[in-house]
């Protein structure tokens, strides 16, 4: 199969919202009046972000999901994506499944694939996602204000726990492992939440590298500090033990793709309503304070000493 056939067969779909989609040297797009374009790229590398034999259907989903998560964190409506693929070989079954997983999620979110690049090489999947947000209304990392509540969506640590179980660092009961593995392999980007938080949240970020590392980006950009309560953090019912591995997964595990956001206390009622409407737990885990670091309080009120804040490819 030629490169052109491959693109045509697996990655070319109708793109009614683009002026020009796949097939030319560049796609042509028009952003609607009153909107800004939000653009973000996330790359998944075999051996670093996933096992080489990962299920291609789930990988197609995850490749787009991690990108949608970035737009969710900006409060942007996803519109378009490009896909840069480096493939070790042309494997029809793999491509069929990968593209199916990708397009299933794309359709759910109204995203059109408008271009990309395809080369031979080690398995590497890179998406650039584009979305629209009304002028000046994006949720940014630099907007956190003193005394804001700090909130997170969903449950934290599950993806990292699933990975720890797969790597034999922890043994999870089977039913808990199953739930955690779904979060690891099929994260659900919180796009609807990001949209609902426009005009409510002062700042937001998606948790991809671990709660403390990502929350650190909010208070670094906003020039404030944070205080969080460890027991308030929503995590799997496996918490009883709260051993070191669990604690690490919850605070710094990464791959959660939940949103962490800050909002004034006056917005609590509205945020609780959003939680009900979206059937998504939203939990207050702390607040923004003066200073420039993050304090994590244990159940007994003492300050926890944290070794690792999150995942860093080069640390
Ligand atoms: P060029 O050589 O001019 O960069 P290519 O031959 O790489 O063009 O790509 C041809 C067309 O196919 C372009 O419109 C490009 O955006 C699109 N394309 C290439 N790879 C992919 C892919 N994996 N998914 C979607 N579109 C792709
Ligand atoms: Mg090209």
């Amino acid at each position: 199969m030629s490169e052109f056939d491959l693109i045509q067969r697996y990655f070319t779909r109708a793109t009614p919202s683009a002026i020009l989609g796949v097939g030319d040297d560049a796609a042509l797009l028009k952003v609607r009046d009153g909107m800004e374009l939000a653009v973000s790229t996330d790359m998944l590398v075999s051996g670093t972000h996933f096992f080489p034999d990962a299920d291609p259907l789930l990988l197609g989903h995850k490749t787009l999901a991690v990108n949608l998560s970035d737009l969710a964190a900006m409060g942007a409506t996803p519109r378009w994506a490009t896909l840069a693929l480096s493939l070790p070989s042309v494997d029809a079954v793999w491509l069929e499944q990968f593209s199916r997983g990708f397009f299933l999620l794309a359709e759910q979110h109204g995203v059109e694939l408008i271009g990309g690049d395809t080369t031979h090489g080690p398995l590497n999947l890179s998406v650039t996602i584009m979305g629209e947000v009304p002028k000046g209304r994006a949720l940014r990392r630099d907007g956190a204000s003193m005394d804001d509540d700090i909130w997170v969506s969903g449950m934290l640590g599950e993806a990292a726990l699933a990975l720890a179980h797969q790597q034999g660092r922890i043994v999870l009961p089977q039913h808990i492992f199953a739930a955690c593995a779904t979060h690891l392999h099929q994260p659900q980007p919180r796009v609807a939440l990001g949209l609902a938080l426009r005009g409510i949240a002062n700042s937001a970020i998606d948790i991809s590298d671990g709660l403390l590392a990502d929350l650190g980006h909010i208070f670094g950009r906003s020039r404030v500090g944070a205080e969080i309560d460890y027991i308030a953090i929503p995590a799997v019912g496996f918490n009883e033990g709260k051993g070191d591995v669990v604690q690490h997964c919850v605070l710094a595990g990464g791959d959660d793709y939940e949103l962490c956001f800050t909002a004034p206390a006056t917005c609590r009622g509205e945020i609780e309503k959003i939680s009900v409407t979206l059937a998504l737990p939203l939990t207050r885990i702390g607040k923004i304070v003066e200073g420039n670091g993050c304090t994590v309080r244990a159940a007994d009120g003492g300050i926890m000493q944290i070794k690792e804040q999150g995942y860093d490819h080069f640390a």
Side-chain angles (χ1 to χ4, degrees), residues 10-22:
Y10 299 108
F11 298 108
T12 306
R13 301 261 179 115
T15 54
S17 81
I19 298 166
L20 190 60
V22 170

Side-chain angles (χ1 to χ4, degrees), residues 191-254:
V191 174
L193 175 60
L195 297 180
L197 289 174
R198 288 204 303 234
I200 293 176
N202 281 333
S203 68
I205 191 166
D206 70 315
I207 306 175
S208 54
D209 295 330
L211 172 67
L212 294 182
D214 289 317
L215 182 57
H217 295 309
I218 287 191
F219 61 74
R221 297 288 293 239
S222 300
R223 302 178 177 283
V224 292
E227 248 177 44
I228 62 177
D229 282 318
Y230 181 60
I231 45 164
I233 301 172
V236 278
F238 190 64
N239 259 347
E240 299 79 43
K242 288 225 170 180
D244 272 0
V245 176
V246 178
Q247 181 187 307
H248 172 81
C249 288
V250 170
L251 289 173

